[in-house]
Amino acid sequence: DVKVTQSSRYLVKRTGEKVFLECVQDMDHENMFWYRQDPGLGLRLIYFSYDVKMKEKGDIPEGYSVSREKKERFSLILESASTNQTSMYLCASNQGAANYGYTFGSGTRLTVV
Amino acid sequence: AQSVTQPDIHITVSEGASLELRCNYSYGATPYLFWYVQSPGQGLQLLLKYFSGDTLVQGIKGFEAEFKRSQSSFNLRKPSVHWSDAAEYFCAVGAMGGGNKLTFGTGTQLKVEL
C-alpha cells in the first residue's frame, strides 16, 4: 500500500516557537500538499509543491513556509507559532493531474498554547 | 476559481436507511470531482471520483455518486447505511490546468442511529 506518513500525530507548542511538521511519501509522487482542517471550514490549502525545491502558495500561506529538498519529503514550517494556528494539518501527495486524486496522511493535530 | 458547497453540516440517518449527501460545485468547464471520507482522528480516504465518461460512478464501501452537469451537482448515495459509515464526508473539485489543486467543501458529518 502506498503511504503518506506524518511524523507526529499530536504536537503541543508554545506561542512564538518555530515549528516543523514533516511529511514523507513512498510513492515517488511529484506533487505534495499541505492543508489545514478546521471545524466548519473544511480543508484549506496552505502550500503545495510540484517538484523538488519548487513551491507554490495556496489559499492561506500567511504565517507558514515550506521546504522540499527531496522528492519524498515536504515540510511545513510555522515561523513563529500563534494560537490561531492551532489546527489539524493534513499532508497529501499525488502523481500527475488532479484527476488522480490525492493520498492523505493521518494528520498532525497541533495545539499552540 | 473553482468552489464546492456542501449544504448539510450534519445528517443523521438510521442504520439500514438510504443516504444522500449533497455537493454542488462551481467551475466553468468539466471538473474532476471526488468524495472523501474521514473517520475520527484519521486522514482522508478516497471513496470515488469522476472525471469523464459514465456520470454514475461506483466507489468503495458500497457508495456511488452521480454527476449532473445541469445542476452542477455530484451527490453521494448509499442504499443502506451501516453504523461504521459514521464519519465526515468531503466533496472536492479539481480542474485541468489548475495546478493539480483540489478545492474541498466544508464537509458533512454523518451520524448513524442504531
Side-chain angles (χ1 to χ4, degrees):
Chain A
D1 250 359
V2 296
K3 277 191 176 174
V4 176
T5 302
Q6 294 183 233
S7 54
S8 303
R9 289 299 305 274
Y10 299 94
L11 276 178
V12 179
K13 297 292 182 180
R14 295 194 178 278
T15 301
E17 277 193 73
K18 190 169 186 177
V19 181
F20 294 84
L21 303 184
E22 306 290 343
C23 175
V24 177
Q25 50 98 359
D26 65 359
M27 300 163 283
D28 202 36
H29 281 175
E30 296 171 346
N31 309 310
M32 297 187 74
F33 307 83
W34 276 107
Y35 285 84
R36 65 176 282 176
Q37 181 183 8
D38 300 288
L41 298 178
L43 278 72
R44 293 179 291 165
L45 182 63
I46 305 171
Y47 268 96
F48 65 103
S49 168
Y50 51 86
D51 202 352
V52 175
K53 297 191 185 294
M54 305 301 289
K55 61 184 179 183
E56 294 281 345
K57 292 180 180 180
D59 300 318
I60 53 164
E62 297 78 18
Y64 303 93
S65 62
V66 290
S67 172
R68 194 167 180 200
E69 296 296 319
K70 294 184 177 181
K71 191 175 186 179
E72 67 270 19
R73 185 181 296 271
F74 191 37
S75 303
L76 179 69
I77 304 160
L78 286 66
E79 297 290 344
S80 178
S82 64
T83 55
N84 64 12
Q85 293 178 309
T86 293
S87 186
M88 169 71 91
Y89 290 87
L90 292 166
C91 176
S93 71
N94 90 326
Q95 178 69 20
N99 60 308
Y100 289 101
Y102 294 176
T103 301
F104 279 88
S106 298
T108 296
R109 183 163 295 282
L110 173 67
T111 301
V112 182
V113 298
Chain B
Q2 61 222 42
S3 66
V4 177
T5 302
Q6 293 181 249
D8 303 307
I9 299 173
H10 298 279
I11 283 186
T12 300
V13 298
S14 298
E15 190 176 36
S18 63
L19 172 70
E20 182 168 30
L21 303 183
R22 295 184 290 165
C23 173
N24 294 97
Y25 69 90
S26 174
Y27 181 63
T30 299
Y32 305 135
L33 293 161
F34 306 83
W35 275 101
Y36 284 86
V37 60
Q38 184 181 37
S39 298
Q42 301 297 314
L44 276 69
Q45 180 184 20
L46 180 66
L47 282 176
L48 47 79
K49 62 183 179 181
Y50 168 82
F51 57 90
S52 67
D54 193 346
T55 57
L56 183 64
V57 294
Q58 302 296 321
I60 62 171
K61 305 185 180 189
F63 286 92
E64 67 178 26
E66 186 171 12
F67 171 58
K68 293 185 177 180
R69 183 189 302 276
S70 61
Q71 298 177 19
S72 297
S73 69
F74 189 58
N75 295 347
L76 182 71
R77 301 193 295 246
K78 187 170 185 178
S80 178
V81 169
H82 188 263
W83 63 267
S84 60
D85 293 324
E88 190 158 22
Y89 292 80
F90 291 92
C91 182
V93 62
M96 185 181 296
N100 300 317
K101 294 183 292 183
L102 295 188
T103 299
F104 287 81
T106 51
T108 298
Q109 187 72 46
L110 173 66
K111 180 180 177 181
V112 180
E113 290 183 332
L114 300 176

